[in-house]
């Protein structure tokens, strides 16, 4: 047995036998990168679709929202760090097979449920479960929604994309330096957005963190790039609140959010403020 290179995301973790990657959710088992959070749910709730957030995809409906543990970024302000920063055995889970979860989604149709949203932690580090469940959900005539940081390879996304109906993708900023602070890579995310947009409904979310990604120039560059792809893509500009390792910051000033929204609106048709 030898070391492998995990192919799922841009980190390409070199894993010795039995070693777990940076995401805490994949391990080298018998010479393969294996998802160790497959079907292990930490969170399950029926949410309004607008909470994903999706503003232009079945508005007014509900969606069964599920998450596991682990993430391949390390955002110091993460709101879901109790599960995103956890590894196996560090948080309570319950196993749901793809069939069981799809059947639950079907049972909830009378409560206005339209399908399943894969969210809360980073779903794509366990893309196999998303793929397998989405096939079952699609087979029942329901919708699949992915809420993601977009930080996986094109081949990983290809495994799941045929079964997705909508995505909300975090575009956390528009500088390589900022993405490096978060343990990510801007170009990986931009490629992910291009690829997803060609196949499904896409909305983007940018959390405005004071002193990090809150300049008008960065928003000009971000919105110009999105507009070049498609000026109909909705952009959710959301307010930061102190959490995890960024308790030193104040919530984003509402005036700053409004100025940045005005900048984005010069290029994009649908700019929405969140967490205000």
């Amino acid at each position: 047995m030898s070391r492998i290179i995990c192919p799922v995301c841009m980190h390409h973790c070199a894993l010795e036998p039995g070693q777990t990657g940076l995401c805490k959710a994949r391990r080298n088992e018998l010479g393969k990168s294996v998802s160790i959070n497959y079907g292990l749910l930490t969170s399950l709730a029926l949410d309004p679709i607008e909470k994903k957030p999706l503003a232009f995809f079945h508005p007014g409906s509900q969606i069964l929202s599920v998450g596991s543990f682990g993430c391949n970024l390390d955002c110091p302000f993460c709101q879901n760090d109790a599960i995103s920063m956890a590894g196996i055995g560090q948080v309570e889970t319950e196993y749901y097979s793809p069939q069981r979860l799809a059947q639950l989604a079907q049972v909830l149709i009378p409560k206005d449920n339209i399908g399943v949203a894969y969210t809360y932690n980073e779903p794509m580090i366990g893309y196999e479960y998303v793929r397998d469940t989405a096939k079952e959900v699609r087979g029942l005539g329901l919708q699949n929604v992915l809420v993601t940081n977009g930080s996986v390879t094109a081949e990983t996304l290809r495994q799941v994309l045929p079964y997705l109906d909508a995505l909300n993708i975090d575009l956390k900023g528009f500088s390589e330096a900022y993405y490096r602070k978060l343990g990510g890579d801007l170009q990986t995310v931009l490629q992910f957005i291009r690829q997803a947009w060609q196949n499904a409904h896409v909305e983007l979310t940018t959390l405005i963190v004071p002193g990090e990604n809150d300049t008008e120039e960065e928003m000009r560059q971000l919105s110009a790039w999105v507009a070049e792809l498609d000026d109909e893509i909705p952009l959710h500009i959301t307010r930061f609140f102190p959490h995890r390792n960024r308790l030193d910051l104040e919530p984003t000033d509402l005036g700053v959010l409004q100025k940045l929204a005005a900048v984005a609106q010069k290029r994009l048709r649908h700019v929405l403020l969140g967490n205000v």
Side-chain angles (χ1 to χ4, degrees), residues 15-16 30 40 51 59 69 77 93 102 129 139 143 150 181 184-185 187 191 218 225-226 252 257 270 274:
L15 303 177
E16 301 292 341
L30 302 177
L40 298 179
K51 282 185 69 175
F69 60 83
F77 44 76
T93 63
Y129 183 70
Q143 308 286 316
K181 283 186 178 182
D185 174 69
Q187 294 306 315
Q191 171 57 35
E218 184 164 347
W225 182 89
V226 176
T252 315
L257 278 187
H270 308 292

Side-chain angles (χ1 to χ4, degrees), residues 90-128:
Q90 296 178 330
V91 63
E92 185 177 347
T93 63
E94 182 174 351
Y95 178 74
Y96 275 74
S97 69
Q99 296 80 10
R100 181 186 178 194
L101 187 57
Q103 288 163 4
L104 177 58
Q106 187 178 42
V107 166
L108 291 171
I109 290 175
K111 294 188 176 181
D112 297 326
N113 182 45
I114 62 167
V116 175
Y118 312 90
T119 180
Y120 300 137
N121 70 313
E122 175 45 54
M124 287 298 285
I125 56 174
Y127 74 90
E128 298 94 334

